[in-house]
């Protein structure tokens, strides 16, 4: 049996239908793909640049390709997957629009998770004159890989600009779902989307 998933990955897994094909971009140690294979009979691939994470994927029995997503997803054919997941990675990508378009070129449905910069604690830290550091944004301004921070509303606007439509959204804080004022009270956003 596979290990339990982090809260955000559990929500992603809830959106993925049984026996689907899944591409997990920035898949880390492959825990989501391993769980989906064991519990929902899904098949898929992970894409990861970090050597230690690739090794962890292989140890879990997850098919993984070591690649830099900034170069695009040309390895994959159009409509090759039912779902394409990009979890806690988009904020570190240089070409955000490009990766979103590539996700829906190779897959029918995209799922993205990102730290919500609109979270009240981030706003408070900015009001105090410093860049936010939190559970979802754990780096100082000078050593962060994050280059594109956005709010829940910003991401929705970008999807619409690209001709994409959100089909599901969950906002979390400390693993718990936030329904009331999610852009203010939620620190992590999960968005499922398709072509409009």
């Amino acid at each position: 049996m596979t290990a339990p998933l982090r809260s955000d990955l559990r929500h992603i897994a809830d959106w993925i239908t049984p026996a689907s094909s899944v591409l997990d971009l920035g898949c880390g140690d492959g825990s989501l793909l391993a769980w989906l294979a064991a519990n929902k009979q899904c098949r898929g691939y992970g894409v990861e640049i970090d050597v230690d994470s690739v090794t962890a994927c292989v140890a879990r029995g997850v098919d993984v390709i070591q690649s830099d997503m900034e170069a695009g997803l040309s390895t994959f054919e159009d409509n090759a997957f039912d779902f394409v997941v990009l979890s806690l990675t988009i904020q570190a990508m240089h070409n955000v629009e490009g990766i979103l378009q590539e996700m829906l070129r190779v897959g029918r449905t995209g799922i993205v998770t990102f730290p919500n910069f609109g979270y009240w604690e981030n706003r408070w830290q900015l009001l105090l004159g410093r860049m936010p550091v939190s559970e979802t944004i754990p780096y100082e301004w000078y050593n962060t890989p994050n280059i594109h921070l956005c709010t829940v509303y910003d991401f929705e606007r970008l999807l619409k600009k690209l001709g994409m439509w959100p089909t599901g959204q969950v906002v979390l804080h400390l693993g718990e779902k936030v329904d009331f004022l999610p852009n203010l009270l939620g620190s992590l956003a999960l968005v499922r989307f398709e072509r409009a």
Side-chain angles (χ1 to χ4, degrees):
M1 194 65 177
T2 56
L5 292 173
R6 288 188 331 238
S7 176
D8 58 319
L9 297 181
R10 278 196 322 269
H11 285 281
I12 291 171
D14 287 346
W15 280 338
I16 295 176
T17 53
S20 296
S21 56
V22 180
L23 178 63
D24 189 357
L25 304 173
C27 65
D29 66 4
S31 58
L32 175 63
L33 286 170
W35 191 95
L36 289 170
N39 295 282
K40 288 195 164 188
Q41 296 69 49
C42 293
R43 63 201 179 291
Y45 288 93
V47 176
E48 180 58 55
I49 195 167
D50 178 69
V51 174
D52 292 335
S53 294
V54 169
T55 302
C57 286
V58 171
R60 287 180 186 266
V62 170
D63 292 326
V64 62
I65 298 169
Q66 185 177 13
S67 181
D68 182 355
M69 292 177 294
E70 293 288 0
L73 303 176
S74 61
T75 307
F76 303 102
E77 296 180 12
D78 293 359
N79 303 310
F81 298 93
D82 297 312
F83 295 90
V84 181
V85 177
L86 183 65
S87 178
L88 293 174
T89 304
I90 198 164
Q91 71 278 3
M93 305 272 319
H94 285 90
N95 185 358
V96 171
E97 293 179 39
I99 196 64
L100 291 173
Q101 291 167 335
E102 280 287 272
M103 287 174 72
L104 290 191
R105 179 186 66 78
V106 303
R108 182 176 45 84
T109 301
I111 299 173
V112 170
T113 71
F114 56 91
N116 176 27
F117 204 66
Y119 174 55
W120 76 267
E121 189 176 312
N122 297 333
R123 297 178 194 207
W124 178 249
Q125 290 182 50
L126 284 170
L127 281 172
L128 294 176
R130 49 181 202 262
M131 286 299 291
V133 176
S134 67
E135 182 178 305
T136 55
I137 308 173
Y139 301 95
E140 296 287 346
W141 67 270
Y142 53 83
N143 66 0
T144 184
N146 299 326
I147 56 175
H148 293 292
L149 299 170
C150 70
T151 70
V152 173
Y153 297 144
D154 291 329
F155 192 75
E156 289 175 8
R157 288 179 58 215
L158 175 60
L159 288 179
K160 289 177 185 170
K161 174 187 172 201
L162 296 175
M164 300 171 185
W165 191 254
T167 58
Q169 176 179 289
V170 174
V171 181
L172 305 173
H173 181 65
L174 299 176
E176 297 297 320
K177 190 173 177 184
V178 177
D179 292 317
F180 178 71
L181 297 175
N183 196 46
L184 182 66
L185 301 177
S187 57
L188 182 66
L190 296 80
V191 181
R192 184 182 61 213
F193 60 97
E194 297 177 358
R195 289 261 175 229

